[in-house]
């Protein structure tokens, strides 16, 4: 579970590959739910706000918020902006309905994906049961998944910075502490 998906958590390589970085809040999900609250409230899903526990679907919700930021501009998050009081952000998140989402610049396929990710019920988010459902969305029709590896870039530790970890074997407790 990444727990800090937002625009600043992505990098674009010189080859045009998008990489997810900033793993400071990442954890290996060993149980059914996590209850720790961390990250940016503007990207919190309802289950974090209500403190009922969360799983990998927190990243799906945050990806939906990130797509809004990228397509509409950072001050167009439907839950507020960096100046919005946290209590107001939480009210917006818990009362959010995807059907009421209105975006000005995004195309229909973008809006469709965002609505599918911003489902209030975690199990209803696109990609919850199988990440391939997300990758098969029309928005990614012309994209190629080139790697199943996760590049670890933790600036505090030179040895870890150069390490490449296969996601399917992500069991290193030093990189992903257990709860």
């Amino acid at each position: 579970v990444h727990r800090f998906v937002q625009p600043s958590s992505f990098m674009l390589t010189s080859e045009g590959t998008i990489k997810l970085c900033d793993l400071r809040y990442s954890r290996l999900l060993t149980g059914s739910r996590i209850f720790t609250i961390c990250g940016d409230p503007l990207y919190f899903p309802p289950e974090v706000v209500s403190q009922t526990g969360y799983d990998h679907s927190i990243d799906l919700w945050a990806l939906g918020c990130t797509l809004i930021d990228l397509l509409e501009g950072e001050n167009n998050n439907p839950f507020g902006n960096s100046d919005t009081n946290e209590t107001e952000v939480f009210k917006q998140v818990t009362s959010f309905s995807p059907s009421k989402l209105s975006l000005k610049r995004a195309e229909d396929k973008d809006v469709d994906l965002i609505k599918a990710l911003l489902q209030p019920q975690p199990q209803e988010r696109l990609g919850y049961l199988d990440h391939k459902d997300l990758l098969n969305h029309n928005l990614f029709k012309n994209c190629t998944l080139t790697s199943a590896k996760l590049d670890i870039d933790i600036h505090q530790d030179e040895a870890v910075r150069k390490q490449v970890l296969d996601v399917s074997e992500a069991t290193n407790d030093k990189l992903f502490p257990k709860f």
Side-chain angles (χ1 to χ4, degrees):
V1 180
H2 188 277
R3 303 192 306 175
F4 200 62
V5 174
Q6 60 184 39
S8 64
S9 297
F10 291 92
M11 294 188 321
L12 188 63
T13 68
S14 58
E15 294 84 28
T17 302
I18 298 171
K19 295 204 176 202
L20 185 60
C21 60
D22 193 353
L23 302 173
R24 65 182 141 176
Y25 296 119
S26 298
R27 295 289 179 260
L28 182 63
L29 184 63
T30 57
S32 61
R33 292 186 179 181
I34 298 172
F35 291 87
T36 309
I37 297 176
C38 58
D40 187 330
L42 289 172
Y43 300 86
F44 285 176
E47 60 272 22
V48 170
V49 174
S50 64
Q51 298 181 22
T52 56
Y54 57 90
D55 56 18
H56 67 282
S57 64
I58 185 177
D59 294 335
L60 298 170
W61 176 278
L63 179 60
C65 294
T66 297
L67 290 172
I68 292 173
D69 286 348
L70 295 174
L71 294 167
E72 298 287 310
E74 75 177 307
N75 288 324
N76 290 297
N77 185 306
F79 312 115
N81 59 48
S82 58
D83 296 328
T84 307
N85 177 295
E86 271 189 17
T87 303
E88 184 57 34
V89 170
F90 294 163
K91 285 180 188 175
Q92 294 296 323
V93 168
T94 55
S95 65
F96 178 74
S97 171
S99 63
K100 295 180 182 177
L101 182 64
S102 175
L103 301 176
K104 298 173 188 168
R105 298 181 186 131
E107 296 179 19
D108 289 344
K109 64 182 176 182
D110 305 330
V111 175
D112 177 63
L113 176 59
I114 291 167
K115 286 180 176 180
L117 292 169
L118 294 182
Q119 291 296 314
Q121 295 300 316
Q123 307 86 325
E124 295 176 11
R125 294 180 194 141
L126 183 66
Y128 182 82
L129 295 176
D130 188 344
H131 71 278
K132 291 176 187 170
D133 294 337
L134 176 62
L135 297 175
N136 289 329
H137 188 274
N138 194 31
L139 182 67
F140 302 114
K141 187 168 86 174
N142 296 321
C143 296
T144 304
L145 181 62
T146 58
S147 175
K149 295 195 180 266
L150 175 64
D151 291 333
I152 306 297
D153 185 9
I154 301 175
H155 298 286
Q156 296 84 0
D157 187 342
E158 182 68 27
V160 175
R161 185 181 316 155
K162 296 178 181 177
Q163 184 175 359
V164 177
L165 178 68
D166 187 324
V167 174
S168 65
E169 298 174 9
T171 59
N172 186 330
D173 291 342
K174 291 180 178 156
L175 294 176
F176 299 96
K178 292 183 180 180
F179 273 90

